[in-house]
Amino acid sequence: MGHIDYCLIVDSDEARRNELKNAIAQAGWAKDVMAALNGGHGLLYLTQSVERIGGKQGVVILNAKTPIMGGFEFLQELHHGELRHEKDKLK
């Protein structure tokens, strides 16, 4: 049984992303464990998943130094409520 509804892991290192995702899923800490390559992809994923995860309890694990958009930039965008499709940032 999960303690939270979802967990989003944002990290450019695929091995670390998979290790965290598997550990959290196996421990049952979250019902839905998702992963994103960088902050831009993480914001896009949250934007596209808002109907599924909106209003639910969740956690985001960030690497501060991911390419394109790091963890601190992700937090600024999220804090300002600017969840929007920014495909240009993902190129």
Side-chain angles (χ1 to χ4, degrees):
M1 181 187 315
H3 299 284
I4 56 173
D5 293 306
Y6 71 92
C7 178
L8 172 62
I9 300 161
V10 180
D11 197 316
S12 58
D13 184 301
E14 184 178 9
R16 186 174 19 219
R17 232 179 17 246
N18 289 335
E19 185 178 336
L20 284 168
K21 185 175 179 178
N22 291 335
I24 291 167
Q26 288 176 357
W29 292 336
K31 296 174 188 172
D32 187 7
V33 184
M34 308 165 281
L37 178 64
N38 59 54
H41 285 136
L43 286 173
L44 184 60
Y45 194 88
L46 288 177
T47 300
Q48 293 174 340
S49 303
V50 73
E51 286 184 21
R52 184 170 51 113
I53 63 174
K56 295 183 179 177
Q57 190 177 33
V59 169
V60 178
I61 299 172
L62 297 167
N63 179 335
K65 296 183 178 183
T66 57
I68 302 175
M69 179 187 287
F72 294 115
E73 294 168 301
F74 174 95
L75 290 173
Q76 287 176 331
E77 292 282 332
L78 188 63
H79 177 73
H80 289 101
E82 297 173 2
L83 287 179
R84 60 185 181 276
H85 299 275
E86 297 188 43
K87 294 180 182 177
D88 291 341
K89 289 186 176 182
L90 301 177
K91 293 180 182 177

